[in-house]
Protein backbone atom coordinates (compact mmCIF):
# COMPACT_ATOMS: atom_id res chain seq x y z
CA UNK A 1 0.00 0.00 0.00
CA UNK A 2 1.44 3.35 -1.03
CA UNK A 3 1.40 6.09 1.57
CA UNK A 4 2.20 9.77 1.20
CA UNK A 5 3.13 11.89 4.21
CA UNK A 6 3.39 15.68 3.95
CA UNK A 7 5.22 17.99 6.31
CA UNK A 8 6.55 21.53 6.42
CA UNK A 9 3.39 23.57 6.70
CA UNK A 10 2.97 26.39 9.17
CA UNK A 11 2.21 30.05 9.62
CA UNK A 12 4.19 32.72 7.84
CA UNK A 13 3.90 36.41 7.11
CA UNK A 14 3.21 37.68 3.60
CA UNK A 15 6.38 37.62 1.55
CA UNK A 16 7.77 34.72 3.52
CA UNK A 17 8.77 31.24 2.42
CA UNK A 18 8.00 27.64 3.30
CA UNK A 19 9.15 24.31 1.94
CA UNK A 20 6.74 21.42 1.95
CA UNK A 21 7.92 17.83 1.78
CA UNK A 22 6.09 14.68 0.78
CA UNK A 23 7.64 11.30 1.47
CA UNK A 24 6.33 8.46 -0.67
CA UNK A 25 6.42 4.96 0.76
CA UNK A 26 6.72 2.69 -2.24
CA UNK A 27 9.21 0.05 -3.25
CA UNK A 28 10.56 1.97 -6.22
CA UNK A 29 10.16 5.70 -6.68
CA UNK A 30 9.68 5.66 -10.42
CA UNK A 31 7.18 6.40 -13.15
CA UNK A 32 3.96 8.30 -13.03
CA UNK A 33 3.66 11.83 -11.74
CA UNK A 34 3.41 13.74 -8.49
CA UNK A 35 1.25 16.74 -7.81
CA UNK A 36 0.73 19.35 -5.13
CA UNK A 37 -2.83 20.53 -4.62
CA UNK A 38 -4.40 22.96 -2.19
CA UNK A 39 -7.84 23.52 -0.79
CA UNK A 40 -9.04 26.60 1.01
CA UNK A 41 -12.22 26.56 3.14
CA UNK A 42 -15.30 26.61 0.95
CA UNK A 43 -13.31 26.16 -2.25
CA UNK A 44 -12.55 23.25 -4.53
CA UNK A 45 -9.21 21.51 -4.43
CA UNK A 46 -6.95 23.03 -7.06
CA UNK A 47 -3.73 21.89 -8.67
CA UNK A 48 -0.68 23.95 -7.81
CA UNK A 49 2.27 22.11 -9.34
CA UNK A 50 3.15 18.72 -10.73
CA UNK A 51 6.19 16.81 -11.89
CA UNK A 52 6.69 13.86 -14.18
CA UNK A 53 8.83 11.55 -12.09
CA UNK A 54 10.97 10.03 -14.83
CA UNK A 55 11.36 13.03 -17.12
CA UNK A 56 11.48 15.63 -14.36
CA UNK A 57 9.22 17.96 -16.33
CA UNK A 58 7.34 20.44 -14.19
CA UNK A 59 4.08 22.34 -14.57
CA UNK A 60 2.57 25.15 -12.52
CA UNK A 61 -0.71 26.91 -12.05
CA UNK A 62 -0.59 30.51 -13.25
CA UNK A 63 -1.29 31.74 -9.73
CA UNK A 64 2.00 30.34 -8.41
CA UNK A 65 4.26 30.48 -11.45
CA UNK A 66 7.53 32.19 -10.60
CA UNK A 67 6.95 31.83 -6.85
CA UNK A 68 6.65 28.07 -6.26
CA UNK A 69 9.04 25.33 -7.33
CA UNK A 70 8.34 21.59 -7.33
CA UNK A 71 11.29 19.23 -7.17
CA UNK A 72 12.11 15.67 -6.18
CA UNK A 73 14.84 13.62 -4.59
CA UNK A 74 14.54 10.12 -6.00
CA UNK A 75 16.91 8.60 -3.46
CA UNK A 76 14.82 9.96 -0.60
CA UNK A 77 11.54 9.20 -2.39
CA UNK A 78 10.50 12.73 -1.59
CA UNK A 79 8.88 15.52 -3.55
CA UNK A 80 9.17 19.13 -2.42
CA UNK A 81 7.27 22.34 -2.92
CA UNK A 82 9.34 25.45 -2.30
CA UNK A 83 7.01 28.37 -1.79
CA UNK A 84 8.41 31.90 -1.92
CA UNK A 85 6.79 35.34 -1.85
CA UNK A 86 3.77 33.86 -0.12
CA UNK A 87 0.49 35.75 -0.21
CA UNK A 88 -2.57 35.56 2.03
CA UNK A 89 -4.44 33.91 -0.83
CA UNK A 90 -1.99 31.00 -0.65
CA UNK A 91 -3.55 30.03 2.67
CA UNK A 92 -4.93 26.51 2.34
CA UNK A 93 -4.45 22.87 3.21
CA UNK A 94 -1.80 21.51 0.88
CA UNK A 95 -1.87 17.92 -0.34
CA UNK A 96 0.55 15.86 -2.34
CA UNK A 97 -0.68 13.15 -4.65
CA UNK A 98 0.70 10.36 -6.81
CA UNK A 99 -0.70 9.34 -10.16
CA UNK A 100 0.26 6.14 -11.97
CA UNK A 101 -2.46 5.92 -14.59
CA UNK A 102 -2.54 7.70 -17.90
CA UNK A 103 -3.68 11.24 -16.98
CA UNK A 104 -6.86 11.14 -19.03
CA UNK A 105 -8.30 14.10 -17.12
CA UNK A 106 -5.06 16.06 -17.23
CA UNK A 107 -2.30 16.50 -14.68
CA UNK A 108 -4.17 19.32 -12.99
CA UNK A 109 -7.25 17.22 -12.23
CA UNK A 110 -7.68 15.42 -8.93
CA UNK A 111 -9.27 12.56 -10.88
CA UNK A 112 -5.88 11.68 -12.40
CA UNK A 113 -4.31 10.81 -9.02
CA UNK A 114 -4.46 7.46 -7.24
CA UNK A 115 -2.94 8.23 -3.84
CA UNK A 116 -3.18 11.23 -1.52
CA UNK A 117 -1.49 12.44 1.61
CA UNK A 118 -3.30 13.73 4.68
CA UNK A 119 -2.41 17.36 4.02
CA UNK A 120 -0.42 20.06 5.74
CA UNK A 121 -1.81 23.49 6.62
CA UNK A 122 -0.24 26.66 5.26
CA UNK A 123 -1.39 29.98 6.70
CA UNK A 124 -0.15 33.31 5.35
CA UNK A 125 -1.14 36.21 7.54
CA UNK A 126 0.27 39.36 9.05
Amino acid sequence: QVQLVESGGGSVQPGGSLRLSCVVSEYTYSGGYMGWFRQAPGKEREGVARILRNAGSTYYADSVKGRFTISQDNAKKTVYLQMNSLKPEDTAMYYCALGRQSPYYGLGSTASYNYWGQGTQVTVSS
Side-chain angles (χ1 to χ4, degrees):
Q1 180 70 15
V2 177
Q3 291 186 326
L4 285 67
V5 179
E6 303 101 330
S7 62
S11 295
V12 64
Q13 292 186 340
S17 298
L18 284 173
R19 189 177 81 155
L20 307 183
S21 300
C22 173
V23 178
V24 184
S25 65
E26 60 182 337
Y27 185 75
T28 303
Y29 184 86
S30 177
Y33 42 92
M34 297 291 301
W36 283 99
F37 290 77
R38 66 186 180 186
Q39 188 167 21
K43 294 188 176 181
E44 292 188 355
R45 192 169 297 189
E46 63 170 349
V48 173
R50 41 267 187 200
I51 185 167
L52 303 182
R53 297 206 292 184
N54 285 357
S57 304
T58 58
Y59 307 86
Y60 299 93
D62 288 342
S63 59
V64 306
K65 202 171 293 183
R67 301 189 297 124
F68 290 11
T69 302
I70 187 171
S71 62
Q72 61 185 357
D73 185 328
N74 292 17
K76 295 182 178 180
K77 299 181 181 179
T78 301
V79 63
Y80 302 98
L81 185 67
Q82 177 67 44
M83 306 186 294
N84 299 328
S85 303
L86 282 162
K87 305 175 181 179
E89 52 263 43
D90 294 318
T91 295
M93 185 72 79
Y94 283 71
Y95 301 89
C96 69
L98 165 64
R100 288 177 169 169
Q101 62 204 11
S102 181
Y104 177 80
Y105 299 99
L107 293 175
S109 171
T110 57
S112 294
Y113 293 81
N114 307 100
Y115 304 96
W116 292 84
Q118 82 289 349
T120 185
Q121 177 68 37
V122 171
T123 302
V124 185
S125 173
S126 56

